[in-house]
Structure formats: C-alpha cells, structure tokens
Amino acid sequence: MYQKEHEEKLIHDVLAYYPFQVEHVALKSNKSGRKIWEIETDKGPKMLKEAQIKPERMLFITQAHAHLQEKGLPIAPLHKTKNGGSCIGADHISYCLYDKVPGKEMIYYNTEQMKKIMEFAGRFHHAAKGYVCSDESKKRSRLGKWNKLYRWKLQELEGNMQIASSFPDDPFSQTFLLHADKMLARGKEALRRLDASDYEEWTKETLKNGGFCFQDFTLARLTEVDGEPFLKELHSITYDLPSRDLRILFNKLMVKLSVWDTELMVSLLRSYDAVYPLTEKQYEILWIDLAFPHLFCAIAHKYYLKQKKSWSDEKYNWALQNMISVEHSKEDFLQQLPALFKDIKSQQGVS
C-alpha cells in the first residue's frame, strides 16, 4: 500500500510540471522497464510514459517526436512542460506526456492495413530527415556499424554452437545444431556481400540527411484513425538506414505467417517504394540484411541467456522451429533481387 501511494504521489508531482488540471490517473501498462499512465485532464485524456532511461536519452527521443510532429506526420501530439521542456527526469528515470489517440488495432494479417503501414513507413522516413538533436541529448546511432554488428552476432552464434554441443540431450540444442552450420555460412556470406556493397555510400547519405529509424518497428505503436495509420508514441529511435526498419518489420510479419511470402513482400514494398523510392543498390543492402540470420541468432541468444524467464522449453522449441521455417523458406526469395526489383518498380507488379 505504501509503495502504491508513494508512486501515485510521484506521478502527481511529475504532472505538476504540465499546464493541465489532473482529474484522474490510472496505470495502463507496466512492462520492459516502461510504465504508461492514462491521465484524465481538463484538456482531454493524456498518456504519461515513465521509462528507465536517462533524461538525455529521453530528450533525444522526444525531440525527434516533436520533429515528426512539425513535419506533419500523423503522430500523437507531444506536450511540453510549463518551462517548455519536451520531457523531464532525473538519474535513470524519465517522463514524457502526449495525447491519448483512440483508434482501431492494426494487425499483421490484414494485407490492406499492411500496405498502408508501408506507405506510412515511407512518410516516416521522409519526415525523419533533417533531425538534429540538441547538444544536451544523448543520441543513438548504428550508422556505419553493421559490419561490426554482423561480426559480433556471428561470434556469438559460434559460441552458442559450442554451448549447444555440451548439452547433447537438450531438444533445443539438438535442433539448433542441425541448422547452425548453414546459418553461420549464410551469415558470413552476408557479411562478405555487405563489405562489397554500397553500404558506406548510403551511410554517408543518411548521415548528411540526418534520418533516423523506429529502432523497433512494431504495430503495437500504431493505431488506425479514419482508415489511416497513426503513431501513438515514439518508443525509441536510432540513426540508421531506413532499410533496417523494413528488415525488422518483414521478419516480424513472416514469423507470424511461419513462412516467407515473396508475393506479399513485393506487394508491400511497392507501397513503400511509391512513397520512399530506393535504388537497386539500396534494395541489395536490404536483401543482404534479410539474408543475415538475425532470427536464428536472436532465438539462440534468448535461449542460452534465459532472457524469457516465463517461457517454457516447449515455447522455446516452437519458436526455434518457426524461425528455422522462415529462414529456410526465404532462400529462393533472396536469389531473385533483379526480377523482384523490376516488380517493385513496375505499376503492373505483384499485388
């Protein structure tokens, strides 16, 4: 009881920095080091986000939120404090306040919604250009670091292969080892191709333009308002190539489908490309990133570090089988870039 009262007092102290009369406060979400409070005010419902990150990092995110808002992207209005700040915080706890935006759920299995989401992603990447964070903020960037990240993931994969070998009776490790050599080889080939690609040129162009990515592109951040996607909050961002968002979104989608659907992907990329066109060299970098076994590496990372404490062995094994199905079923797709690039650019392409 004391902790709850203390927490409620803290939230009211935070809300005192904003120019609203608070009528009611309710905790709506509490996970992954973030809490979301719904605030009823004299100016309508608001959402207060509490995150276990330094204020300098939150400032990097909220200033980007304000940048997107100024560029006209459909995003929940962010509110400033009485002193004009976009967020507040101390030590490793930060807060920001934005409007609650009612809307319909957007789902991965709705193709028409997904096409609109791809158009929205293109608008997001256009709007992200020109963002310059303040000196007080702490930026996050992965630009120019893909080669290093690939190498680190491959080293971890080899380490997990050694760990798996020490558990010969473990079903997860048995399945993992059946496919690890092939995934390791594909990862090494992706690294070789990345080194030979136009990655550095696209990185320099993005650095010049100041573009950023979602960091973790998921439909949980979006809602449908008047038939169109609307961003409920800006969870996190990083300076990186726009193709990183596409890779993350497509891998999420195909994992839910349990198989790689090439026709669907081309259809979705045509929607994105109509708003944010990419060159064939840039699509090659997306193809390389999709070829790297991010999914396979990720599930092994979770399992051997026991990151998902609530997951049973059965759930881990199911997730591994699903990742393997997706990784293997995308292989034909990975060999078809020239033809699929023409389909993406053609008005008569796959739909």
Side-chain angles (χ1 to χ4, degrees):
M1 180 64 71
Y2 170 78
Q3 183 177 356
K4 181 181 179 181
E5 291 176 352
H6 176 75
E7 192 171 58
E8 289 178 351
K9 181 180 183 303
L10 174 62
I11 294 304
H12 278 88
D13 289 345
V14 169
L15 292 171
Y17 284 91
Y18 290 91
F20 301 109
Q21 180 179 329
V22 177
E23 298 171 352
H24 183 70
V25 176
L27 180 64
K28 288 297 182 181
S29 175
N30 182 7
K31 58 183 179 179
S32 302
R34 285 175 166 81
K35 294 181 180 179
I36 304 291
W37 304 79
E38 184 171 343
I39 316 296
E40 293 294 337
T41 78
D42 60 330
K43 299 294 177 63
K46 314 296 178 188
M47 307 301 288
L48 179 72
K49 179 166 70 175
E50 173 189 292
Q52 295 180 14
I53 58 176
K54 291 183 178 180
E56 295 86 356
R57 180 75 73 194
M58 180 66 89
L59 186 61
F60 178 58
I61 298 168
T62 55
Q63 287 180 341
H65 188 135
H67 173 83
L68 294 173
Q69 195 173 319
E70 291 170 4
K71 291 287 186 175
L73 189 79
I75 185 172
L78 182 75
H79 294 289
K80 292 188 176 182
T81 66
K82 295 174 183 177
N83 295 327
S86 61
C87 63
I88 61 174
D91 297 327
H92 289 77
I93 302 293
S94 303
Y95 299 88
C96 65
L97 186 74
Y98 46 89
D99 276 358
K100 178 184 178 181
V101 179
K104 292 171 57 180
E105 181 184 12
M106 306 203 78
I107 58 176
Y108 292 93
Y109 304 105
N110 186 321
T111 302
E112 292 308 310
Q113 277 192 344
M114 286 301 302
K115 288 180 180 179
K116 291 181 178 181
I117 288 165
M118 294 304 296
E119 293 171 356
F120 181 88
R123 293 179 63 188
F124 178 98
H125 292 143
H126 271 303
K129 290 181 179 180
Y131 172 55
V132 179
C133 60
S134 67
D135 293 338
E136 295 82 9
S137 67
K138 184 175 177 58
K139 68 179 182 179
R140 174 175 285 172
S141 176
R142 288 197 176 185
L143 283 170
K145 299 177 182 178
W146 285 23
N147 314 67
K148 182 179 179 180
L149 180 64
Y150 279 18
R151 291 188 183 95
W152 180 85
K153 286 192 174 185
L154 291 172
Q155 288 173 358
E156 185 188 48
L157 179 57
E158 290 176 319
N160 284 332
M161 290 167 69
Q162 292 180 353
I163 294 173
S165 298
S166 66
F167 295 102
D169 298 324
D170 174 36
F172 182 98
S173 296
Q174 291 172 351
T175 305
F176 171 73
L177 286 174
L178 285 175
H179 303 273
D181 285 333
K182 185 173 184 179
M183 292 295 102
L184 181 64
R186 204 169 82 186
K188 289 181 177 179
E189 174 62 13
L191 175 59
R192 185 196 66 76
R193 290 176 58 205
L194 184 68
D195 288 335
S197 72
D198 277 5
Y199 173 68
E200 287 191 13
E201 287 73 12
W202 199 6
T203 296
K204 291 176 183 176
E205 178 185 325
T206 306
L207 278 168
K208 181 180 178 181
N209 292 334
F212 55 81
C213 291
F214 278 96
Q215 174 82 3
D216 183 16
F217 195 175
T218 172
L219 302 198
R221 319 274 180 240
L222 297 168
T223 190
E224 186 180 86
V225 177
D226 297 329
E228 297 296 329
F230 197 102
L231 191 57
K232 294 186 293 185
E233 63 151 328
L234 195 61
H235 181 72
S236 182
I237 64 162
T238 185
Y239 287 121
D240 207 346
L241 303 183
S243 64
R244 180 168 183 257
D245 279 341
L246 302 182
R247 184 261 295 173
I248 289 173
L249 182 60
F250 283 129
N251 275 345
K252 284 180 185 289
L253 171 61
M254 300 309 174
V255 163
K256 291 184 179 297
L257 299 177
S258 298
V259 68
W260 196 266
D261 188 332
T262 297
E263 287 192 4
L264 175 60
M265 178 172 176
V266 171
S267 174
L268 296 178
L269 279 175
R270 290 182 71 233
S271 296
Y272 176 82
D273 195 86
V275 177
Y276 197 100
L278 301 178
T279 67
E280 187 168 5
K281 292 291 186 180
Q282 290 169 337
Y283 274 114
E284 180 186 7
I285 293 166
L286 171 59
W287 255 243
I288 291 169
D289 205 23
L290 287 168
F292 190 90
H294 290 284
L295 295 173
F296 189 77
C297 291
I299 190 61
H301 176 85
K302 288 184 176 71
Y303 182 74
Y304 291 111
L305 288 181
K306 300 300 180 186
Q307 286 191 325
K308 297 288 187 180
K309 299 186 185 302
S310 63
W311 281 25
S312 63
D313 288 345
E314 289 76 14
K315 187 166 184 177
Y316 269 117
N317 287 324
W318 176 86
L320 175 62
Q321 293 284 1
N322 199 36
M323 302 297 184
I324 290 169
S325 173
V326 173
E327 291 286 17
H328 285 325
S329 63
K330 74 166 66 164
E331 290 186 0
D332 287 343
F333 152 81
L334 293 171
Q335 308 303 318
Q336 300 179 51
L337 175 57
L340 295 181
F341 175 74
K342 292 180 181 178
D343 280 340
I344 292 166
K345 293 294 185 179
S346 171
Q347 293 303 309
Q348 288 76 41
V350 180
S351 61

